[in-house]
């Protein structure tokens, strides 16, 4: 298994779309709720980066998900 920081690094590099909104969330459920309640754009996915630390944003909301990306789920597969 990969440490979460490595997963976050891969998502940051491979995700073709920057987060449309950065949020502070107390837990994963709050991050998901932020996505569901988003009114400015159709939020299709979120990335919760663990418990909040200080004023840092720990929840990213995106308008794309693995289904809407051009290569589908293959977008996140590492190429040899």
């Amino acid at each position: 298994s990969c440490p979460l920081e490595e997963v976050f690094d891969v998502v940051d590099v491979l995700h073709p779309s920057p987060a449309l909104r950065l949020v502070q969330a107390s837990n994963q459920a709050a991050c998901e709720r932020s996505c569901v309640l988003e009114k400015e754009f159709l939020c299709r996915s979120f990335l919760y980066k663990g418990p909040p630390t200080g004023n840092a944003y720990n929840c990213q909301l995106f308008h794309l998900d693995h289904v809407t990306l051009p290569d589908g789920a293959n977008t996140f597969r590492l190429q040899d």
Side-chain angles (χ1 to χ4, degrees), residues 13 17-19 21 30 32 36 43-44 50 53 56 64 77:
V13 168
S17 173
R21 183 164 326 274
E32 181 177 13
V36 169
C43 184
R44 290 190 170 104
T53 54
L64 297 175
R77 296 187 201 281

Side-chain angles (χ1 to χ4, degrees), residues 29-44:
C31 184
E32 181 177 13
R33 191 168 39 257
S34 294
C35 187
V36 169
L37 297 175
E38 178 57 49
K39 301 266 189 239
E40 297 293 317
F41 62 95
L42 177 57
C43 184
R44 290 190 170 104

Side-chain angles (χ1 to χ4, degrees), residues 7-27:
V7 173
F8 298 150
D9 289 344
V10 169
V11 170
D12 287 342
V13 168
L14 294 180
H15 202 293
S17 173
L20 293 180
R21 183 164 326 274
L22 302 174
V23 178
Q24 282 187 325
S26 57
N27 54 45

